[in-house]
Amino acid sequence: MAQDSQQNGVVAAETAMAAGIVGCRYEVTTLMRKLAICIIYIGVSTALIRFNKHMMQKDIFPFSLALSAIHMLVSTVLCGVLFIVRPSMFPAMCIVRDQKLDLAKWFVPIGVCFAVMLYGSNQAYMYCSVALLQFMKEANVMIVFLISCAVGLQIMNRLRFALIVWVIVGATVSVSG
């Protein structure tokens, strides 16, 4: 009897170890998948930025307004097609389906700001290097955070302030050389 309970204990321990190994493999697989998605995202983003810089040369296609409009049109169409094909990728849409006007009140100003930003960044490719512009775009994160603090959506503390100063000083040193 004691041997059976001991054998059952060994089997239970082996089962638990196997489950731990499977869980560990699952975590590693999930981590690798997420890492691959991040690498692909960075690669595609870099390629698009370089392509926009190439397109904005004076002898190729120096029309930043048209390039921005095409970008936004393609994004809108592809997002709509994705919603039709896989609505499960948009779980919040069933919540706001009856509130289209209220939703438009929030998204139209955001879309207009994005369009102006896109036009400005494409226009800037004609005059500045990609590296300088990417450093300057990083300042947008700080600006949004500071505006969020000003309107009461975020709270400023000493650590956040020190991080903002650190990033601004680092970007300034990088930009000025």
Side-chain angles (χ1 to χ4, degrees):
M1 188 63 114
Q3 189 177 10
D4 285 341
S5 65
Q6 189 178 29
Q7 196 174 21
N8 289 340
V10 170
V11 170
E14 289 174 352
T15 305
M17 281 181 50
I21 291 171
V22 170
C24 183
R25 285 184 190 152
Y26 173 75
E27 290 174 11
V28 170
T29 304
T30 303
L31 179 67
M32 295 305 289
R33 182 173 178 258
K34 290 178 181 178
L35 183 63
I37 290 170
C38 288
I39 290 170
I40 290 168
Y41 177 79
I42 291 169
V44 169
S45 177
T46 302
L48 287 174
I49 289 168
R50 293 291 181 180
F51 180 73
N52 280 354
K53 171 72 173 170
H54 173 73
M55 290 292 289
M56 290 304 299
Q57 292 178 7
K58 290 182 181 178
D59 57 340
I60 296 178
F61 191 78
F63 307 107
S64 57
L65 187 60
L67 189 63
S68 301
I70 292 168
H71 174 198
M72 294 195 72
L73 178 67
V74 169
S75 295
T76 302
V77 168
L78 290 177
C79 193
V81 168
L82 191 60
F83 179 68
I84 291 169
V85 173
R86 295 264 323 256
S88 63
M89 294 182 75
F90 301 86
M93 286 303 288
C94 52
I95 297 170
V96 296
R97 192 174 295 269
D98 298 330
Q99 304 168 351
K100 291 180 183 175
L101 187 60
D102 291 336
L103 194 63
K105 288 178 185 177
W106 289 97
F107 278 101
V108 168
I110 292 171
V112 168
C113 289
F114 179 72
V116 169
M117 184 271 317
L118 193 60
Y119 167 73
S121 65
N122 283 337
Q123 189 70 28
Y125 285 136
M126 293 177 67
Y127 306 104
C128 301
S129 70
V130 171
L132 173 68
L133 292 175
Q134 290 305 110
F135 276 115
M136 299 307 291
K137 285 181 184 179
E138 293 305 317
N140 289 341
V141 176
M142 301 300 146
I143 293 168
V144 169
F145 177 73
L146 293 173
I147 291 172
S148 297
C149 289
V151 298
L153 296 174
Q154 291 287 332
I155 298 172
M156 178 66 77
N157 59 29
R158 285 184 294 192
L159 177 62
R160 290 177 178 171
F161 181 76
L163 287 172
I164 288 172
V165 169
W166 182 259
V167 170
I168 290 171
V169 167
T172 304
V173 168
S174 297
V175 169
S176 65

